[in-house]
Structures are given as structure tokens and as C-alpha cells.
Amino acid sequence: MMTQPEYETEKSNCESQQNQLQNRGAACQEEKDGENPWDTFWLLQIDVGCESPRNQLTENETWCSRNVLRKQRHWEKIISAKKRRRKLERERRKAKPTEGKGAVPQLSKRDLKVIRKERLLEAKETGPRLCIDLSMTSHMTYKETSRLAAQIRRLYGSNKKAQKPFWIYLTGFEKNSPIYEACLRMNDGFTNYLMDVTPESYLDVFPLEMMVYLTPDSENALEEVDLRKVYILGGLVDESIQKRLTFQRAQEEHLQTARLPIQEYMVKHVNAKNYHSTTLAINQAVPP
């Protein structure tokens, strides 16, 4: 017969063996059902290691924000550099009129236009006066007429910018003539030029004693411009260069003649053709 302590020990051993058998049975039953607790553990471990779509979206937003900030900083640098350049340019413009002694302040285009108009109108009243004779244009070719129209444009442009301009007359300028059509075709704003235009001859417009015909064949060098005189230029572009044509015409009309002092003041430079001409275009005869 067992004592009470021996009975308790035996009972504990039996319960332990029974629990072990139950655990083995449960494990076998799980293997039969195809379930493995280790597989479940590894699946849980993999799920824990993977990132959720929410985390990926957060990282993409962070990367985009950094890219936007980088571009914004780059653009701010460009704007700042432009502002600095504009500030330096404004300071340079302000300092430019004060540089040196006797600096002339820059005028606007409107002011220059007003000043040039006043100078031209003053020349109309007091001189000097320049007349372009266009009565010989009927003998010129289409090309020569176009070149003459271009010379009239350059003559007017350089004359109106001069400090002491001439008042210009166009005589023998008939409407619907080749030179009239060429001037309208090649000269923008020709109808607004500040000059006198007439189809009459210069002989009918000016007194004989006031006129001086400018021709390279004259013996008289023009040293000074007389404000009381009207200087006549032959409006002729002749590629064949007919010599003494304008001089003969002046003699026939009993006009005073003069030539520009090219021989006295101009220096001849050696050129390949060794050719120097004193015949000038009409826009070259008027100094700027």
C-alpha cells in the first residue's frame, strides 16, 4: 500500500505522460490536415518584411517633393541673376550721361524728329538750297532709274540728320514718270518727305543769277556755300559715263558752274585699276 506522498508523485507522472501523448496526437492531426505551424510562422515573417503600398506612395511623394524643390531653387537663382543684371544696366545708363565733360544727353526719337524738322524748315527760309534736276531721266534705263531713286533716298536720309541741312527741291519730277514710280516703289514714306517737288524746270522756279550748276568739269572749285544761291545737281545715273554732259548743259543755259574741291582736298589711294573718278552720286555730293 502506497503512502500519500508516493501517490501524489505517481499521479503527477501520469498526468505528464498523458499531456505528452495529447500533444503528439495534435501534432499528427495537424500533419494529416496539411498544416504546418512553421509554414505559418515563415509567412508571418515574410509579411512583416514586405512594405505596404502606402509606404511606397509616401516615399514617391517625398522624392517628387525633393525634385520640385530642386527645380524651384534653380529657377530662383536664374531670376535673381536677371534682377542683378537689370540693376547694373540701369546704374550704367544713369552714370553714362555724366561721364566726361560736355557729355550730350541722349534724346528720344520723338525729340530728334522735332529737331530735324525745325532745322529743315529753317533751311527752307534761310538756305542753303539744293535742287535735283530730273529732266534727263527719260534717257535712262530701268536699272539706272532705280539706282537714282535709291540715291534720292540716301540723300534725304543723310541731309535731314546733318547739323546744317539743305532744303531740297526736285524739279522736272512728273507724275507717272519712270522716276516717279521708282521713288514710290523704293522709298518708304516718300510722299511725306520734307522737300519741294514740282514738274517745272529749275529755270522757271529760280532766278538765273541765283543758280550755280555743280559739274565735275567746271574750273571753279566750290570753297564755301553761299546761302543766297541755289545749287543745281544733275539727276543722272549714266553707266556709260558721258563726259561733260552737265557742263555743256550749264553753258547752254548761261549758268554759273562750280565743282567740289576734290582735287584740292581729297587724297588718292592706289587701287588695282589705277582709276580715280571725280563724278559722284547725288547723295555723295552733300556732306553729312
Side-chain angles (χ1 to χ4, degrees), residues 84-279:
R84 287 196 300 270
R85 287 197 297 268
R86 290 174 182 173
K87 183 178 179 181
L88 292 174
E89 181 65 20
R90 287 195 298 267
E91 293 177 353
R92 186 185 65 82
R93 290 179 179 176
K94 291 180 180 179
K96 188 175 181 180
T98 59
E99 293 178 356
K101 295 182 179 180
V104 179
Q106 294 188 2
L107 300 175
S108 64
K109 292 183 178 180
R110 180 178 298 179
D111 293 337
L112 287 174
K113 187 176 181 180
V114 172
I115 292 173
R116 290 168 180 172
K117 182 177 180 180
E118 291 176 353
R119 288 173 180 171
L120 287 173
L121 294 177
E122 183 181 355
K124 182 178 182 180
E125 298 297 330
T126 62
R129 303 176 183 87
L130 180 68
C131 175
I132 310 299
D133 175 27
L134 300 175
S135 61
M136 296 180 286
T137 56
S138 58
H139 302 288
M140 296 191 303
T141 64
Y142 179 84
K143 180 180 178 181
E144 292 170 343
T145 303
S146 299
R147 288 180 59 187
L148 179 59
Q151 290 178 14
I152 293 174
R153 180 185 69 247
R154 291 192 289 268
L155 169 67
Y156 180 78
S158 60
N159 180 68
K160 73 176 182 179
K161 296 178 182 178
Q163 294 293 328
K164 296 181 178 180
F166 285 80
W167 180 255
I168 298 176
Y169 298 84
L170 298 182
T171 60
F173 190 74
E174 298 181 358
K175 287 188 176 181
N176 302 324
S177 63
I179 185 61
Y180 177 84
E181 299 294 339
C183 287
L184 293 180
R185 183 179 70 252
M186 300 184 64
N187 303 344
D188 294 335
F190 176 77
T191 55
N192 297 324
Y193 281 7
L194 290 176
M195 59 172 62
D196 283 336
V197 178
T198 177
E200 298 179 345
S201 171
Y202 55 87
L203 296 173
D204 300 326
V205 177
F206 308 108
L208 193 64
E209 63 277 6
M210 288 180 58
M211 291 184 286
V212 178
Y213 209 110
L214 298 178
T215 171
D217 301 309
S218 176
E219 296 179 356
N220 305 319
L222 182 63
E223 297 288 346
E224 295 181 357
V225 175
D226 190 348
L227 300 181
R228 297 170 297 177
K229 299 291 185 180
V230 179
Y231 296 92
I232 313 296
L233 273 176
L236 180 65
V237 175
D238 185 10
E239 295 183 351
S240 63
I241 308 179
Q242 301 181 24
K243 294 183 178 181
R244 302 180 67 85
L245 181 63
T246 54
F247 181 71
Q248 292 176 0
R249 181 164 190 174
Q251 283 188 328
E252 292 174 358
E253 296 170 346
H254 306 286
L255 297 177
Q256 303 178 47
T257 61
R259 61 174 174 82
L260 299 180
I262 297 176
Q263 301 174 5
E264 288 77 8
Y265 297 100
M266 300 298 290
V267 178
K268 296 180 180 180
H269 292 279
V270 178
N271 54 38
K273 297 181 179 180
N274 194 23
Y275 172 74
H276 300 88
S277 176
T278 56
T279 302

Side-chain angles (χ1 to χ4, degrees), residues 4-121:
Q4 185 67 25
E6 291 178 349
Y7 176 79
E8 293 293 336
T9 302
E10 186 67 19
K11 183 178 179 181
S12 176
N13 291 334
C14 290
E15 290 176 356
S16 177
Q17 292 178 359
Q18 186 177 1
N19 291 333
Q20 291 179 359
L21 291 174
Q22 290 178 356
N23 291 335
R24 290 179 181 177
C28 292
Q29 185 65 31
E30 288 176 355
E31 289 177 359
K32 289 180 181 181
D33 295 338
E35 296 179 358
N36 192 345
W38 291 104
D39 294 338
T40 305
F41 176 77
W42 285 111
L43 289 174
L44 291 174
Q45 187 178 11
I46 293 172
D47 292 338
V48 172
C50 294
E51 295 181 356
S52 65
R54 181 177 297 177
N55 293 335
Q56 293 179 357
L57 181 60
T58 303
E59 291 183 359
N60 291 336
E61 291 178 352
T62 302
W63 181 84
C64 293
S65 299
R66 291 177 181 175
N67 193 27
V68 170
L69 290 174
R70 180 179 59 81
K71 291 182 178 180
Q72 185 176 358
R73 286 194 296 269
H74 178 67
W75 180 249
E76 289 175 354
K77 289 180 180 179
I78 295 176
I79 297 298
S80 178
K82 287 184 177 180
K83 290 182 178 179
R84 287 196 300 270
R85 287 197 297 268
R86 290 174 182 173
K87 183 178 179 181
L88 292 174
E89 181 65 20
R90 287 195 298 267
E91 293 177 353
R92 186 185 65 82
R93 290 179 179 176
K94 291 180 180 179
K96 188 175 181 180
T98 59
E99 293 178 356
K101 295 182 179 180
V104 179
Q106 294 188 2
L107 300 175
S108 64
K109 292 183 178 180
R110 180 178 298 179
D111 293 337
L112 287 174
K113 187 176 181 180
V114 172
I115 292 173
R116 290 168 180 172
K117 182 177 180 180
E118 291 176 353
R119 288 173 180 171
L120 287 173
L121 294 177

